[in-house]
Amino acid sequence: GENVEQHPSTLSVQEGDSAVIKCTYSDSASNYFPWYKQELGKRPQLIIDIRSNVGEKKDQRIAVTLNKTAKHFSLHITETQPEDSAVYFCAASLGDTGRRALTFGSGTRLQVQP
Amino acid sequence: DTGVSQDPRHKITKRGQNVTFRCDPISEHNRLYWYRQTLGQGPEFLTYFQNEAQLEKSRLLSDRFSAERPKGSFSTLEIQRTEQGDSAMYLCASSQDSARFVEQYFGPGTRLTVT
């Protein structure tokens, strides 16, 4: 089955700096790659996703890149703010619709220091 | 609140007891997923339904776990003969099939503690 590795496990940055989180996956049949943000004690929430026919996607301060050949994808957050502090999870799924089971990475705890 | 809801939010049980959790998806969402999350880890997929049909089950889902969605609306997850290793947050998510691309919306979870 699919295996998703995520690193780093913790990341501390100064407010205004950029943060990068990287994930690798094992199943070349995976075509959908969402990123979820989970604040302490709250539910995971989708922040951005990318499908295999796209190499990069941006939404304001966040962007995701995908390299299908190397089977890795990354989350980039620019101009970080204290409210970006949370645990971020990458995930991979078969198909590109988002309907199938998600396989998650182990998470990255991001702390933005004011 | 029109989001995914789960009940109870917390459950403490003794080893060997049976527990049942309920998930109510967002109205008109016909796909419903169950995940389990242990401390410091990402959610692990357990099973999912399209309407009342259970389409996929993880190998993680032992014989002690059973999920149902009898009328294609709410779902229940039952764990029989609980073990300490079952202690985790059980998350439910739902999505709608009407669009080509969908998002899985998560509920707040049920935290299970087995003593």
Short mmCIF file of all heavy atoms in Angstrom, two decimals, chain A residues 42-104:
data_model
loop_
_atom_site.label_atom_id
_atom_site.label_comp_id
_atom_site.label_asym_id
_atom_site.label_seq_id
_atom_site.Cartn_x
_atom_site.Cartn_y
_atom_site.Cartn_z
N LYS A 42 -8.28 20.67 17.53
CA LYS A 42 -9.30 20.91 16.49
C LYS A 42 -9.20 19.87 15.38
O LYS A 42 -8.28 19.07 15.34
CB LYS A 42 -9.14 22.32 15.93
CG LYS A 42 -9.40 23.40 16.98
CD LYS A 42 -9.58 24.76 16.36
CE LYS A 42 -9.95 25.79 17.42
NZ LYS A 42 -10.12 27.14 16.83
N ARG A 43 -10.17 19.91 14.50
CA ARG A 43 -10.21 18.95 13.39
C ARG A 43 -9.23 19.34 12.29
O ARG A 43 -8.93 20.53 12.10
CB ARG A 43 -11.64 18.88 12.83
CG ARG A 43 -12.10 20.14 12.12
CD ARG A 43 -13.59 20.13 11.84
NE ARG A 43 -14.38 20.38 13.03
CZ ARG A 43 -15.69 20.22 13.11
NH1 ARG A 43 -16.37 19.78 12.05
NH2 ARG A 43 -16.35 20.45 14.21
N PRO A 44 -8.74 18.39 11.51
CA PRO A 44 -7.91 18.74 10.34
C PRO A 44 -8.74 19.51 9.32
O PRO A 44 -9.90 19.16 9.07
CB PRO A 44 -7.48 17.38 9.79
CG PRO A 44 -7.71 16.40 10.89
CD PRO A 44 -8.87 16.93 11.68
N GLN A 45 -8.12 20.54 8.72
CA GLN A 45 -8.81 21.31 7.69
C GLN A 45 -7.92 21.41 6.45
O GLN A 45 -6.73 21.70 6.57
CB GLN A 45 -9.16 22.70 8.22
CG GLN A 45 -10.24 22.68 9.28
CD GLN A 45 -10.80 24.05 9.60
OE1 GLN A 45 -10.06 24.90 10.03
NE2 GLN A 45 -12.09 24.24 9.37
N LEU A 46 -8.53 21.19 5.30
CA LEU A 46 -7.80 21.28 4.04
C LEU A 46 -7.36 22.71 3.78
O LEU A 46 -8.17 23.64 3.89
CB LEU A 46 -8.70 20.80 2.90
CG LEU A 46 -8.07 20.82 1.50
CD1 LEU A 46 -7.05 19.70 1.38
CD2 LEU A 46 -9.15 20.68 0.43
N ILE A 47 -6.08 22.90 3.46
CA ILE A 47 -5.62 24.24 3.13
C ILE A 47 -5.26 24.39 1.66
O ILE A 47 -5.41 25.48 1.09
CB ILE A 47 -4.42 24.67 4.01
CG1 ILE A 47 -3.27 23.67 3.91
CG2 ILE A 47 -4.85 24.87 5.46
CD1 ILE A 47 -1.98 24.14 4.58
N ILE A 48 -4.81 23.34 1.03
CA ILE A 48 -4.48 23.37 -0.38
C ILE A 48 -4.31 21.95 -0.86
O ILE A 48 -4.00 21.06 -0.07
CB ILE A 48 -3.20 24.22 -0.65
CG1 ILE A 48 -3.06 24.57 -2.15
CG2 ILE A 48 -1.96 23.52 -0.14
CD1 ILE A 48 -2.00 25.64 -2.42
N ASP A 49 -4.54 21.72 -2.14
CA ASP A 49 -4.29 20.40 -2.69
C ASP A 49 -3.75 20.54 -4.11
O ASP A 49 -3.82 21.61 -4.72
CB ASP A 49 -5.55 19.52 -2.66
CG ASP A 49 -6.75 20.16 -3.39
OD1 ASP A 49 -6.56 21.10 -4.18
OD2 ASP A 49 -7.88 19.70 -3.15
N ILE A 50 -3.18 19.45 -4.62
CA ILE A 50 -2.63 19.46 -5.96
C ILE A 50 -2.87 18.10 -6.59
O ILE A 50 -2.86 17.08 -5.90
CB ILE A 50 -1.13 19.84 -5.95
CG1 ILE A 50 -0.63 20.13 -7.36
CG2 ILE A 50 -0.29 18.75 -5.27
CD1 ILE A 50 0.73 20.82 -7.39
N ARG A 51 -3.12 18.12 -7.88
CA ARG A 51 -3.33 16.88 -8.62
C ARG A 51 -2.18 16.65 -9.58
O ARG A 51 -1.45 17.58 -9.92
CB ARG A 51 -4.68 16.92 -9.33
CG ARG A 51 -5.81 16.89 -8.33
CD ARG A 51 -7.18 17.06 -8.91
NE ARG A 51 -8.16 16.76 -7.87
CZ ARG A 51 -8.59 17.64 -6.96
NH1 ARG A 51 -8.14 18.86 -6.98
NH2 ARG A 51 -9.46 17.28 -6.04
N SER A 52 -2.05 15.43 -10.07
CA SER A 52 -0.83 15.04 -10.76
C SER A 52 -0.64 15.72 -12.11
O SER A 52 0.46 15.66 -12.66
CB SER A 52 -0.81 13.53 -10.96
OG SER A 52 -1.92 13.14 -11.73
N ASN A 53 -1.66 16.37 -12.63
CA ASN A 53 -1.49 17.04 -13.92
C ASN A 53 -0.97 18.46 -13.75
O ASN A 53 -0.86 19.21 -14.73
CB ASN A 53 -2.81 17.05 -14.69
CG ASN A 53 -3.92 17.78 -13.94
OD1 ASN A 53 -3.85 17.93 -12.73
ND2 ASN A 53 -4.93 18.22 -14.65
N VAL A 54 -0.65 18.83 -12.51
CA VAL A 54 -0.20 20.18 -12.20
C VAL A 54 1.11 20.08 -11.43
O VAL A 54 1.27 19.23 -10.57
CB VAL A 54 -1.25 20.92 -11.35
CG1 VAL A 54 -0.75 22.28 -10.91
CG2 VAL A 54 -2.55 21.06 -12.13
N GLY A 55 2.08 20.97 -11.74
CA GLY A 55 3.35 20.93 -11.03
C GLY A 55 3.41 21.87 -9.84
O GLY A 55 4.18 21.64 -8.92
N GLU A 56 2.59 22.93 -9.88
CA GLU A 56 2.63 23.90 -8.80
C GLU A 56 1.26 24.56 -8.69
O GLU A 56 0.58 24.77 -9.68
CB GLU A 56 3.70 24.96 -9.06
CG GLU A 56 3.87 25.98 -7.95
CD GLU A 56 5.01 26.95 -8.18
OE1 GLU A 56 5.66 26.86 -9.23
OE2 GLU A 56 5.25 27.80 -7.30
N LYS A 57 0.91 24.90 -7.46
CA LYS A 57 -0.36 25.59 -7.22
C LYS A 57 -0.16 26.58 -6.09
O LYS A 57 0.52 26.26 -5.10
CB LYS A 57 -1.44 24.58 -6.86
CG LYS A 57 -2.83 25.15 -6.67
CD LYS A 57 -3.81 24.00 -6.40
CE LYS A 57 -5.22 24.50 -6.15
NZ LYS A 57 -6.14 23.37 -5.85
N LYS A 58 -0.71 27.78 -6.25
CA LYS A 58 -0.54 28.81 -5.22
C LYS A 58 -1.89 29.33 -4.75
O LYS A 58 -2.85 29.40 -5.53
CB LYS A 58 0.26 29.99 -5.78
CG LYS A 58 1.71 29.73 -6.01
CD LYS A 58 2.43 30.99 -6.50
CE LYS A 58 3.90 30.73 -6.75
NZ LYS A 58 4.59 31.94 -7.25
N ASP A 59 -1.94 29.70 -3.47
CA ASP A 59 -3.12 30.33 -2.91
C ASP A 59 -2.64 31.33 -1.87
O ASP A 59 -2.34 30.96 -0.75
CB ASP A 59 -4.06 29.29 -2.29
CG ASP A 59 -5.35 29.90 -1.77
OD1 ASP A 59 -5.55 31.13 -1.94
OD2 ASP A 59 -6.16 29.16 -1.18
N GLN A 60 -2.52 32.55 -2.27
CA GLN A 60 -2.04 33.63 -1.41
C GLN A 60 -0.65 33.29 -0.87
O GLN A 60 0.30 33.18 -1.65
CB GLN A 60 -3.06 33.91 -0.30
CG GLN A 60 -4.42 34.35 -0.86
CD GLN A 60 -5.42 34.69 0.21
OE1 GLN A 60 -5.28 34.35 1.39
NE2 GLN A 60 -6.48 35.38 -0.17
N ARG A 61 -0.51 33.07 0.43
CA ARG A 61 0.82 32.86 1.00
C ARG A 61 1.26 31.39 0.97
O ARG A 61 2.37 31.08 1.39
CB ARG A 61 0.85 33.35 2.45
CG ARG A 61 0.67 34.85 2.59
CD ARG A 61 0.88 35.28 4.05
NE ARG A 61 -0.10 34.68 4.96
CZ ARG A 61 0.17 33.70 5.82
NH1 ARG A 61 1.41 33.21 5.92
NH2 ARG A 61 -0.78 33.23 6.61
N ILE A 62 0.42 30.50 0.52
CA ILE A 62 0.80 29.10 0.51
C ILE A 62 0.90 28.59 -0.93
O ILE A 62 0.18 29.05 -1.82
CB ILE A 62 -0.16 28.22 1.33
CG1 ILE A 62 -1.59 28.31 0.79
CG2 ILE A 62 -0.11 28.59 2.80
CD1 ILE A 62 -2.55 27.35 1.50
N ALA A 63 1.81 27.67 -1.13
CA ALA A 63 2.00 27.06 -2.44
C ALA A 63 2.40 25.61 -2.24
O ALA A 63 2.97 25.24 -1.21
CB ALA A 63 3.08 27.80 -3.23
N VAL A 64 2.07 24.80 -3.22
CA VAL A 64 2.47 23.39 -3.18
C VAL A 64 3.10 23.05 -4.51
O VAL A 64 2.66 23.52 -5.57
CB VAL A 64 1.26 22.48 -2.86
CG1 VAL A 64 0.16 22.62 -3.88
CG2 VAL A 64 1.70 21.03 -2.72
N THR A 65 4.19 22.27 -4.47
CA THR A 65 4.84 21.81 -5.68
C THR A 65 4.82 20.29 -5.70
O THR A 65 4.83 19.64 -4.64
CB THR A 65 6.29 22.30 -5.76
OG1 THR A 65 7.00 21.84 -4.60
CG2 THR A 65 6.35 23.82 -5.80
N LEU A 66 4.79 19.71 -6.88
CA LEU A 66 4.71 18.26 -7.03
C LEU A 66 5.71 17.82 -8.09
O LEU A 66 5.76 18.38 -9.19
CB LEU A 66 3.30 17.85 -7.46
CG LEU A 66 3.09 16.39 -7.89
CD1 LEU A 66 3.33 15.44 -6.72
CD2 LEU A 66 1.68 16.20 -8.46
N ASN A 67 6.51 16.83 -7.75
CA ASN A 67 7.43 16.20 -8.70
C ASN A 67 7.06 14.73 -8.78
O ASN A 67 7.42 13.94 -7.92
CB ASN A 67 8.88 16.38 -8.23
CG ASN A 67 9.88 15.81 -9.21
OD1 ASN A 67 9.61 14.82 -9.90
ND2 ASN A 67 11.04 16.42 -9.28
N LYS A 68 6.29 14.37 -9.81
CA LYS A 68 5.80 13.00 -9.91
C LYS A 68 6.92 12.02 -10.23
O LYS A 68 6.87 10.87 -9.81
CB LYS A 68 4.70 12.91 -10.98
CG LYS A 68 3.36 13.37 -10.51
CD LYS A 68 2.25 12.39 -10.87
CE LYS A 68 2.28 11.13 -10.04
NZ LYS A 68 1.22 10.17 -10.36
N THR A 69 7.91 12.47 -10.95
CA THR A 69 9.02 11.57 -11.30
C THR A 69 9.75 11.13 -10.04
O THR A 69 10.06 9.95 -9.87
CB THR A 69 9.99 12.27 -12.26
OG1 THR A 69 9.27 12.68 -13.42
CG2 THR A 69 11.12 11.34 -12.65
N ALA A 70 10.02 12.10 -9.16
CA ALA A 70 10.74 11.81 -7.93
C ALA A 70 9.80 11.38 -6.81
O ALA A 70 10.27 10.98 -5.74
CB ALA A 70 11.53 13.04 -7.49
N LYS A 71 8.51 11.46 -7.03
CA LYS A 71 7.49 11.12 -6.03
C LYS A 71 7.67 11.93 -4.76
O LYS A 71 7.73 11.37 -3.64
CB LYS A 71 7.49 9.61 -5.75
CG LYS A 71 6.95 8.81 -6.92
CD LYS A 71 6.69 7.36 -6.54
CE LYS A 71 7.74 6.48 -7.10
NZ LYS A 71 7.60 5.07 -6.81
N HIS A 72 7.77 13.24 -4.92
CA HIS A 72 7.75 14.08 -3.73
C HIS A 72 6.99 15.38 -4.01
O HIS A 72 6.85 15.82 -5.15
CB HIS A 72 9.15 14.33 -3.14
CG HIS A 72 10.09 15.08 -4.00
ND1 HIS A 72 9.97 16.43 -4.29
CD2 HIS A 72 11.22 14.68 -4.62
CE1 HIS A 72 10.98 16.80 -5.05
NE2 HIS A 72 11.75 15.78 -5.27
N PHE A 73 6.46 15.93 -2.93
CA PHE A 73 5.71 17.17 -3.01
C PHE A 73 5.98 17.99 -1.75
O PHE A 73 6.38 17.44 -0.72
CB PHE A 73 4.21 16.92 -3.22
CG PHE A 73 3.53 16.04 -2.21
CD1 PHE A 73 2.57 16.57 -1.34
CD2 PHE A 73 3.80 14.69 -2.14
CE1 PHE A 73 1.92 15.76 -0.43
CE2 PHE A 73 3.15 13.87 -1.22
CZ PHE A 73 2.21 14.41 -0.36
N SER A 74 5.84 19.28 -1.87
CA SER A 74 6.25 20.19 -0.80
C SER A 74 5.22 21.28 -0.59
O SER A 74 4.55 21.71 -1.53
CB SER A 74 7.60 20.84 -1.12
OG SER A 74 8.61 19.88 -1.31
N LEU A 75 5.15 21.75 0.66
CA LEU A 75 4.30 22.89 1.03
C LEU A 75 5.20 24.06 1.36
O LEU A 75 6.17 23.90 2.12
CB LEU A 75 3.43 22.53 2.23
CG LEU A 75 2.55 23.64 2.79
CD1 LEU A 75 1.39 23.93 1.83
CD2 LEU A 75 2.00 23.28 4.17
N HIS A 76 4.90 25.21 0.79
CA HIS A 76 5.68 26.41 1.05
C HIS A 76 4.73 27.46 1.64
O HIS A 76 3.70 27.77 1.04
CB HIS A 76 6.27 26.95 -0.25
CG HIS A 76 7.11 25.96 -0.99
ND1 HIS A 76 8.49 26.04 -1.06
CD2 HIS A 76 6.77 24.85 -1.68
CE1 HIS A 76 8.95 25.02 -1.78
NE2 HIS A 76 7.93 24.28 -2.17
N ILE A 77 5.12 28.00 2.79
CA ILE A 77 4.36 29.09 3.39
C ILE A 77 5.28 30.30 3.46
O ILE A 77 6.37 30.22 4.05
CB ILE A 77 3.85 28.74 4.81
CG1 ILE A 77 3.07 27.43 4.80
CG2 ILE A 77 2.98 29.88 5.35
CD1 ILE A 77 2.66 26.94 6.19
N THR A 78 4.88 31.39 2.84
CA THR A 78 5.69 32.61 2.88
C THR A 78 5.10 33.60 3.88
O THR A 78 3.94 33.49 4.27
CB THR A 78 5.74 33.27 1.49
OG1 THR A 78 4.41 33.58 1.06
CG2 THR A 78 6.39 32.35 0.47
N GLU A 79 5.95 34.53 4.30
CA GLU A 79 5.52 35.59 5.23
C GLU A 79 4.73 35.00 6.40
O GLU A 79 3.60 35.43 6.67
CB GLU A 79 4.70 36.64 4.49
CG GLU A 79 5.47 37.31 3.34
CD GLU A 79 4.56 38.19 2.50
OE1 GLU A 79 3.49 38.62 2.99
OE2 GLU A 79 4.91 38.43 1.33
N THR A 80 5.33 34.03 7.07
CA THR A 80 4.61 33.33 8.14
C THR A 80 4.14 34.28 9.23
O THR A 80 4.78 35.30 9.54
CB THR A 80 5.49 32.24 8.76
OG1 THR A 80 6.74 32.82 9.16
CG2 THR A 80 5.73 31.11 7.79
N GLN A 81 2.99 33.90 9.81
CA GLN A 81 2.37 34.67 10.88
C GLN A 81 2.12 33.74 12.06
O GLN A 81 2.02 32.52 11.88
CB GLN A 81 1.05 35.27 10.38
CG GLN A 81 1.22 36.18 9.17
CD GLN A 81 -0.09 36.51 8.48
OE1 GLN A 81 -1.16 36.10 8.91
NE2 GLN A 81 0.00 37.27 7.39
N PRO A 82 2.01 34.29 13.27
CA PRO A 82 1.79 33.42 14.45
C PRO A 82 0.58 32.49 14.29
O PRO A 82 0.62 31.36 14.77
CB PRO A 82 1.57 34.43 15.58
CG PRO A 82 2.38 35.62 15.16
CD PRO A 82 2.22 35.70 13.66
N GLU A 83 -0.44 32.93 13.58
CA GLU A 83 -1.62 32.07 13.40
C GLU A 83 -1.38 30.90 12.45
O GLU A 83 -2.24 30.02 12.29
CB GLU A 83 -2.83 32.89 12.92
CG GLU A 83 -2.56 33.76 11.72
CD GLU A 83 -2.19 35.19 12.11
OE1 GLU A 83 -1.46 35.38 13.12
OE2 GLU A 83 -2.61 36.11 11.38
N ASP A 84 -0.21 30.87 11.80
CA ASP A 84 0.16 29.70 11.00
C ASP A 84 0.66 28.56 11.88
O ASP A 84 0.83 27.43 11.39
CB ASP A 84 1.26 30.06 9.99
CG ASP A 84 0.81 31.05 8.93
OD1 ASP A 84 -0.40 31.05 8.58
OD2 ASP A 84 1.65 31.85 8.47
N SER A 85 0.90 28.83 13.15
CA SER A 85 1.38 27.79 14.07
C SER A 85 0.32 26.70 14.21
O SER A 85 -0.84 26.98 14.55
CB SER A 85 1.68 28.39 15.45
OG SER A 85 2.73 29.32 15.36
N ALA A 86 0.72 25.47 13.88
CA ALA A 86 -0.21 24.33 13.88
C ALA A 86 0.59 23.10 13.46
O ALA A 86 1.79 23.18 13.20
CB ALA A 86 -1.36 24.56 12.89
N VAL A 87 -0.11 21.96 13.39
CA VAL A 87 0.50 20.76 12.80
C VAL A 87 -0.03 20.63 11.38
O VAL A 87 -1.24 20.75 11.14
CB VAL A 87 0.16 19.50 13.61
CG1 VAL A 87 0.79 18.27 12.96
CG2 VAL A 87 0.65 19.64 15.05
N TYR A 88 0.87 20.41 10.45
CA TYR A 88 0.52 20.27 9.04
C TYR A 88 0.74 18.83 8.59
O TYR A 88 1.78 18.24 8.89
CB TYR A 88 1.37 21.22 8.18
CG TYR A 88 1.02 22.67 8.42
CD1 TYR A 88 1.54 23.36 9.51
CD2 TYR A 88 0.14 23.35 7.56
CE1 TYR A 88 1.20 24.68 9.75
CE2 TYR A 88 -0.20 24.67 7.79
CZ TYR A 88 0.33 25.34 8.88
OH TYR A 88 -0.01 26.65 9.11
N PHE A 89 -0.25 18.29 7.90
CA PHE A 89 -0.17 16.92 7.40
C PHE A 89 -0.26 16.92 5.88
O PHE A 89 -1.16 17.55 5.32
CB PHE A 89 -1.32 16.06 7.94
CG PHE A 89 -1.28 15.82 9.41
CD1 PHE A 89 -2.06 16.57 10.27
CD2 PHE A 89 -0.47 14.83 9.95
CE1 PHE A 89 -2.03 16.36 11.64
CE2 PHE A 89 -0.43 14.61 11.32
CZ PHE A 89 -1.21 15.37 12.17
N CYS A 90 0.64 16.18 5.25
CA CYS A 90 0.47 15.91 3.83
C CYS A 90 -0.24 14.57 3.69
O CYS A 90 -0.29 13.77 4.62
CB CYS A 90 1.81 15.88 3.12
SG CYS A 90 2.93 14.58 3.70
N ALA A 91 -0.80 14.34 2.53
CA ALA A 91 -1.50 13.08 2.29
C ALA A 91 -1.44 12.75 0.80
O ALA A 91 -1.17 13.63 -0.04
CB ALA A 91 -2.95 13.14 2.75
N ALA A 92 -1.67 11.49 0.48
CA ALA A 92 -1.70 11.04 -0.91
C ALA A 92 -2.88 10.11 -1.09
O ALA A 92 -3.31 9.43 -0.14
CB ALA A 92 -0.40 10.33 -1.27
N SER A 93 -3.41 10.07 -2.31
CA SER A 93 -4.58 9.25 -2.58
C SER A 93 -4.55 8.78 -4.02
O SER A 93 -4.08 9.50 -4.91
CB SER A 93 -5.85 10.08 -2.32
OG SER A 93 -7.01 9.35 -2.65
N LEU A 94 -5.09 7.58 -4.24
CA LEU A 94 -5.25 7.08 -5.60
C LEU A 94 -6.31 7.89 -6.34
O LEU A 94 -7.20 8.45 -5.71
CB LEU A 94 -5.67 5.60 -5.57
CG LEU A 94 -4.69 4.63 -4.93
CD1 LEU A 94 -5.28 3.23 -4.90
CD2 LEU A 94 -3.37 4.64 -5.67
N GLY A 95 -6.21 7.95 -7.64
CA GLY A 95 -7.15 8.77 -8.40
C GLY A 95 -6.88 10.24 -8.14
O GLY A 95 -6.06 10.59 -7.30
N ASP A 96 -7.58 11.09 -8.83
CA ASP A 96 -7.32 12.53 -8.65
C ASP A 96 -8.54 13.29 -8.15
O ASP A 96 -8.53 14.52 -8.12
CB ASP A 96 -6.82 13.14 -9.96
CG ASP A 96 -7.90 13.17 -11.04
OD1 ASP A 96 -8.96 12.51 -10.87
OD2 ASP A 96 -7.69 13.85 -12.06
N THR A 97 -9.59 12.59 -7.76
CA THR A 97 -10.82 13.30 -7.39
C THR A 97 -10.91 13.63 -5.91
O THR A 97 -11.71 14.47 -5.51
CB THR A 97 -12.05 12.45 -7.75
OG1 THR A 97 -12.02 11.25 -6.98
CG2 THR A 97 -12.07 12.12 -9.24
N GLY A 98 -10.13 12.96 -5.08
CA GLY A 98 -10.24 13.16 -3.64
C GLY A 98 -11.24 12.24 -2.98
O GLY A 98 -11.47 12.33 -1.78
N ARG A 99 -11.85 11.33 -3.75
CA ARG A 99 -12.88 10.45 -3.20
C ARG A 99 -12.30 9.24 -2.47
O ARG A 99 -12.98 8.62 -1.66
CB ARG A 99 -13.79 9.94 -4.31
CG ARG A 99 -14.69 10.98 -4.91
CD ARG A 99 -15.54 10.38 -6.02
NE ARG A 99 -16.55 11.32 -6.49
CZ ARG A 99 -16.30 12.31 -7.33
NH1 ARG A 99 -15.08 12.49 -7.79
NH2 ARG A 99 -17.27 13.13 -7.72
N ARG A 100 -11.08 8.86 -2.77
CA ARG A 100 -10.52 7.63 -2.21
C ARG A 100 -9.91 7.88 -0.84
O ARG A 100 -9.80 9.00 -0.36
CB ARG A 100 -9.46 7.07 -3.18
CG ARG A 100 -9.98 6.77 -4.57
CD ARG A 100 -10.90 5.55 -4.61
NE ARG A 100 -10.24 4.35 -4.12
CZ ARG A 100 -9.51 3.54 -4.87
NH1 ARG A 100 -9.31 3.81 -6.15
NH2 ARG A 100 -8.97 2.45 -4.34
N ALA A 101 -9.47 6.80 -0.21
CA ALA A 101 -8.83 6.90 1.10
C ALA A 101 -7.57 7.75 1.03
O ALA A 101 -6.83 7.69 0.06
CB ALA A 101 -8.49 5.50 1.60
N LEU A 102 -7.35 8.54 2.05
CA LEU A 102 -6.14 9.35 2.16
C LEU A 102 -5.12 8.62 3.02
O LEU A 102 -5.47 8.11 4.09
CB LEU A 102 -6.46 10.71 2.78
CG LEU A 102 -7.45 11.60 2.02
CD1 LEU A 102 -7.73 12.87 2.81
CD2 LEU A 102 -6.92 11.94 0.64
N THR A 103 -3.86 8.61 2.57
CA THR A 103 -2.75 8.13 3.39
C THR A 103 -1.96 9.34 3.84
O THR A 103 -1.45 10.09 3.00
CB THR A 103 -1.84 7.17 2.61
OG1 THR A 103 -2.60 6.05 2.16
CG2 THR A 103 -0.71 6.68 3.49
N PHE A 104 -1.89 9.55 5.14
CA PHE A 104 -1.28 10.76 5.70
C PHE A 104 0.17 10.54 6.09
O PHE A 104 0.58 9.43 6.45
CB PHE A 104 -2.04 11.20 6.95
CG PHE A 104 -3.36 11.87 6.67
CD1 PHE A 104 -4.51 11.11 6.47
CD2 PHE A 104 -3.47 13.24 6.60
CE1 PHE A 104 -5.74 11.71 6.21
CE2 PHE A 104 -4.68 13.86 6.35
CZ PHE A 104 -5.82 13.09 6.15
#
